[in-house]
Amino acid sequence: MSEQEVTYSTVRFHKSAGLQKQVRPEETKGPREAGYRIFQYGQQKKLQEILNHHNNCSNMQSDINLKDEQLKNKSIECNLLESLNRDKNRLYNKTKTVLDSLQHTGRGDKVYWFCYGMKCYYFVMDRKPWIRCKQTCQNSSFSLLKIDNEDELKFLQLVVPSDSCWIGLSYDNKKKDWAWIDNHPSKLALNTMKYNIRDGGCMFLSKTRLDNNYCDQSLICICGRRLDKFPH
């Protein structure tokens, strides 16, 4: 066949009866089912909003309860603090009355005193041997000072006079150890091994150290007493 003798044919395709009858599944859904779905979605959304609102209310109520509890605790703390302050002031006034009366007994000792925390300190400035300091404190309803802990020691070293002062710690020959005036232990950690009994059996306090000396030496006396130990 030559190039000029090309024949074109037209092919036609006819839709079969089966294809004509096929319909998409979506086309069978009517407006009623679509409306139901919209209604169902709206109900779920509304229910979720109600649940969220309920959760928010529950959280707010929890916050309110927590704040009420905190306010209640604060109120209790304030009442307790006021009660403690009243007791402290009452004890302080009683202490001041006792100490003021001691200063006018005609005993001739020059003294000064102050209270700090729950303890009052009574300084007898007239120098005495350790045993006489002990007696002077007892006559004033005090005792030679017992230092309860490291914090009290640091505080006292800031306020003591420049001279050394006897305190209520001495060597017990029976126990072969250092003992406080009340025979009870203290939380103050002392390396008693460094104190040689040959240098003296009574302890004194200065601005720089605790040390031992001969008990017959005359030093300032420090007496002490807790506020809650004064008569009511």
Side-chain angles (χ1 to χ4, degrees), residues 89-166:
N89 290 334
R90 176 177 56 80
L91 292 171
Y92 176 84
N93 290 331
K94 286 182 176 293
T95 305
K96 187 176 187 304
T97 301
V98 172
L99 293 176
D100 284 346
S101 66
L102 291 173
Q103 295 182 52
H104 297 89
T105 55
R107 292 172 186 159
D109 290 329
K110 180 182 178 182
V111 302
Y112 80 90
W113 67 275
F114 63 90
C115 295
Y116 179 78
M118 286 298 294
K119 187 178 285 188
C120 287
Y121 303 93
Y122 188 65
F123 290 77
V124 181
M125 305 304 293
D126 297 286
R127 291 168 175 78
K128 306 174 187 295
W130 190 89
I131 190 65
R132 285 190 58 198
C133 279
K134 177 183 177 182
Q135 292 170 350
T136 299
C137 292
Q138 289 176 344
N139 291 339
S140 302
S141 300
F142 281 74
S143 66
L144 263 176
L145 178 65
K146 176 184 178 181
I147 302 175
D148 291 322
N149 51 52
E150 191 72 24
D151 289 337
E152 185 179 9
L153 173 62
K154 292 178 180 178
F155 165 73
L156 286 169
Q157 287 181 320
L158 295 174
V159 299
V160 294
S162 56
D163 296 332
S164 300
C165 309
W166 285 129

